[in-house]
């Protein structure tokens, strides 16, 4: 591990894999194969879908096709917030299903947090899970205003008073001492997870149920009844595209979901005196109210893993090389860590990495299955995919099996979303949005006292 002043490891998929070791890839697709269900992409969406399909109908022949190894994408690189946050805009969901539809989805998300924890327990997956809740901290007046507005918003949508509890500055300090804190909000519906352990455990559980995962197999084309890869074609009446940030790698899908980049760093284990000064005694997840927000967790071995936006989007939907991120992103996340937790000044940064998540044009997630063609998909979770993939997997399984359940009636099922603009508009839109967010955050940090109008302009540009 790094010593002070030494450069952190950059990439290598993620620190989560460095701590458990990269898995040995499973065999590739041996040629043309027939199946009942073909799932493309072995991240959480694909794996949860396979899991629930096989649990409900054990005789289904399910084949999963994966470019690298199960959990190579965002599922093995994320911040480990197993949270009940909705993946998208309530207004978009309410437009078709009214307020009750949104309330149902919010309840389903809270249940999904516990469902993941239960499955991990029942399948014997040790993923450092601890459900100590989620803290959001406000670090300037503008953020504090958004905190209070957010609280009212949750209550308007029917949240129970115990779902979101406002904390004064001293109450926040009692949980985690963040420099410059003016107060926070606590929500109990969130658990800390080591994502690579969870996704590897889930892949093993799925294989144990009789699903075949072919790794090192890149799919280039999906049509009704078949998925075409560099190793052969899988023919199946049901083909499910579960690629989130990688969706653009399939022919004709470049403009569906934008691959948004998010980066993380992790410190070396904090010495006990540093941890004492920060006071992060539990496994609460931590976020803030900045426009270019941060997310953090205290790992099981007392590190701080902290993430945020780096280069948000690469021209032409290009992807990273096995998680390597840019130096200025590492510097920015390091500076933020030191600023929020001055006690970490001498604690080395051990590792930095990044990954892509999927962003639809209306920033709202979708589960979709067309019985006529047998084609389906789920994703566009906009950074809230860890819990949402479980709900999506259960929902896709019900849709494929033709079960009409409360899940298949949720408002994110069957949404049609317009595509992103072609380049260079797509690149210009997202770059300017984040440049404006950075400016808005700087102005608010200098004491603007209210939300900068620049941030609303940024939202308008990309329809967020
Ligand atoms: C840095 C980062 C931090 C995040 N933090 C959080 C968090 O704390 N909480 C949260 O809720 N969400 C978080 N997210 C989002 C969350 O991780 C994702 O939404 C979720 O993991 C998506 O799962 P998925 O299975 O849909 O996609 P992925 O996990 O990306 O899986 C897609 C799979 O498809 C494979 N693949 C790609 N192209 C092809 C192809 N052509 N053929 C075959 N296979 C292919 C990939 O290798 C990959 O394994 C974060 C994301 C990132 C990047």
């Amino acid at each position: 591990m790094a010593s002070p002043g030494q450069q952190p490891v950059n990439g290598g998929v993620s620190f989560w894999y460095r701590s458990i070791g990269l898995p040995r890839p499973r065999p590739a697709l041996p040629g043309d194969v027939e199946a009942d269900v073909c799932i493309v992409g072995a991240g959480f969406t694909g794996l949860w879908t396979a899991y629930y399909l096989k649990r409900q109908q054990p005789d289904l022949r399910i084949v999963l096709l994966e470019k690298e190894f199960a959990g190579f994408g965002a599922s093995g690189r994320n911040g480990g917030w197993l949270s009940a946050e909705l993946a998208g805009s309530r207004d978009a969901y309410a437009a078709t299903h009214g307020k009750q539809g949104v309330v149902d989805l919010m309840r389903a998300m809270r249940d999904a947090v516990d469902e993941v924890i239960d499955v991990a327990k029942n399948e014997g997956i040790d993923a450092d899970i601890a459900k100590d809740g989620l803290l959001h901290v406000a670090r300037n007046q503008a953020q504090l205003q958004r905190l209070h507005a957010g609280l009212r918003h949750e209550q308007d949508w029917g949240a129970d008073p115990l779902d979101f509890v406002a904390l004064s500055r001293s109450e926040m300090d009692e949980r985690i001492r963040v420099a410059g804190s003016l107060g926070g909000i606590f929500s109990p519906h969130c658990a800390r997870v080591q994502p690579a352990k969870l996704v590897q455990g889930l892949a093993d559980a799925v294989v144990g149920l009789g699903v075949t995962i072919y790794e090192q197999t890149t799919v280039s084309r999906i049509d009704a009844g078949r998925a075409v890869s560099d190793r052969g074609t899988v023919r199946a009446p049901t083909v499910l595209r579960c690629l989130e940030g990688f969706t653009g790698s399939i022919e004709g899908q470049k403009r569906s979901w934008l691959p948004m980049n998010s980066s993380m760093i992790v410190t070396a284990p904090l010495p006990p005196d540093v941890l004492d000064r920060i006071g992060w005694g539990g496994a609460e997840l931590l976020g803030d109210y900045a426009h270019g927000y941060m997310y953090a967790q205290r790992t099981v071995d007392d590190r701080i893993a902290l993430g945020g936006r780096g280069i948000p989007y690469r021209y032409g939907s290009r992807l990273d090389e096995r998680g390597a991120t840019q130096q200025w992103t590492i510097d920015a996340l390091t500076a933020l860590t030191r600023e929020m937790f001055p006690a970490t000044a001498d604690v080395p940064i051990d590792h930095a990495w990044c990954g892509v998540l999927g962003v639809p044009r209306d920033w709202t997630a979708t589960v979709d299955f067309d019985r006529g063609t047998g084609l389906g998909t789920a994703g566009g979770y906009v950074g809230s995919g860890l819990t949402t993939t479980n709900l999506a997997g259960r929902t896709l399984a019900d849709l494929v099996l033709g079960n009409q359940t409360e899940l298949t009636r949720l408002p994110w099922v069957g949404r049609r979303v317009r595509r992103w603009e072609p380049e260079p508009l797509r690149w210009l839109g997202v770059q300017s949005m984040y440049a404006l967010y950075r400016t808005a955050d700087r102005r608010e940090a200098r004491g603007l006292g209210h939300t900068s109008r620049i941030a609303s302009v940024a939202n308008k540009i990309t329809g967020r």
Side-chain angles (χ1 to χ4, degrees), residues 43-45 66-67 74-75 78-79 81 219 244 249 295 383-386:
F44 279 123
T45 303
E66 163 58 48
K67 180 171 75 111
S75 297
N78 61 63
W81 284 33
V219 174
E244 249 253 306
S249 63
Y295 49 91
S384 292
L386 194 43

Side-chain angles (χ1 to χ4, degrees), residues 40-45 65-67 72-75 77-81 217-219 242-244 246 249 262 264 295 355-357 381 383-386 389:
V40 181
F44 279 123
T45 303
L65 301 180
E66 163 58 48
K67 180 171 75 111
F72 171 79
S75 297
R77 307 185 195 190
N78 61 63
W81 284 33
T217 301
T218 304
V219 174
C242 299
L243 295 170
E244 249 253 306
F246 300 89
S249 63
S262 195
M264 296 196 70
Y295 49 91
V356 283
L357 44 102
Y381 312 117
S384 292
L386 194 43
T389 49

Side-chain angles (χ1 to χ4, degrees), residues 152-388:
R152 284 193 299 276
H153 189 63
E154 295 296 347
Q155 285 157 356
D156 288 347
W157 283 98
D160 186 272
L162 291 180
D163 288 341
F164 296 92
V165 180
L167 304 177
S168 66
R169 182 193 309 208
S170 59
E171 287 167 333
M172 181 72 208
D173 280 356
E174 273 168 31
R175 289 172 176 263
I176 306 177
R177 277 187 285 283
V178 178
S181 159
L182 299 179
I185 281 190
F186 173 74
S187 166
H189 306 294
C190 191
R192 187 270 317 273
V193 169
Q194 205 281 35
K197 288 186 181 177
L198 183 64
V199 75
Q200 289 302 310
L202 182 61
D204 289 344
V206 163
V207 170
L209 288 174
V211 171
T212 308
I213 305 180
Y214 293 116
E215 299 186 339
Q216 310 163 82
T217 301
T218 304
V219 174
S220 54
R221 191 184 164 91
I222 295 176
D223 301 311
R226 63 175 197 159
V228 181
S229 83
D230 55 345
R231 307 289 189 140
T233 295
V234 176
R235 292 185 191 282
T238 298
V239 183
L240 305 175
R241 195 187 76 222
C242 299
L243 295 170
E244 249 253 306
F246 300 89
T247 299
S249 63
I250 302 299
E251 217 178 291
Q253 298 293 340
K254 259 236 153 37
R255 288 167 53 197
S256 306
W257 293 333
L258 183 135
M260 182 73 81
N261 190 74
S262 195
S263 295
M264 296 196 70
I265 58 167
V266 67
T267 67
L270 304 184
D273 63 308
V274 172
L275 202 50
D276 269 359
R277 275 187 277 161
I278 296 172
W280 200 335
E284 300 95 333
L285 289 305
L286 177 70
D288 70 2
Y289 285 90
H291 301 290
Y293 58 84
M294 56 70 61
Y295 49 91
Q297 70 153 273
R298 179 189 144 192
T299 66
V300 76
D301 59 348
D302 293 339
R303 302 161 185 269
I304 294 178
L306 182 144
R309 294 271 180 267
I311 300 263
Y313 170 68
R314 298 172 207 232
Y315 191 88
S317 298
R318 271 190 304 118
L319 303 171
D320 55 81
E321 265 308 311
R322 296 183 80 80
T325 190
Q326 302 84 4
Q327 186 59 44
W328 78 261
T329 303
I330 302 175
D331 294 344
L333 293 176
T334 304
L336 182 62
T337 307
R338 311 287 194 222
E339 187 188 307
M340 293 178 72
F341 307 107
T344 65
D346 295 325
V347 181
I349 304 298
D350 259 356
H351 202 131
W353 69 98
C354 68
V356 283
L357 44 102
V359 179
R361 187 63 183 85
D362 69 349
W363 299 74
T364 301
T366 302
V367 180
D368 192 33
F369 181 67
D370 179 350
R371 188 146 288 286
T373 59
L375 293 174
T377 190
Y381 312 117
V382 200
S384 292
L386 194 43
T387 307
T388 320

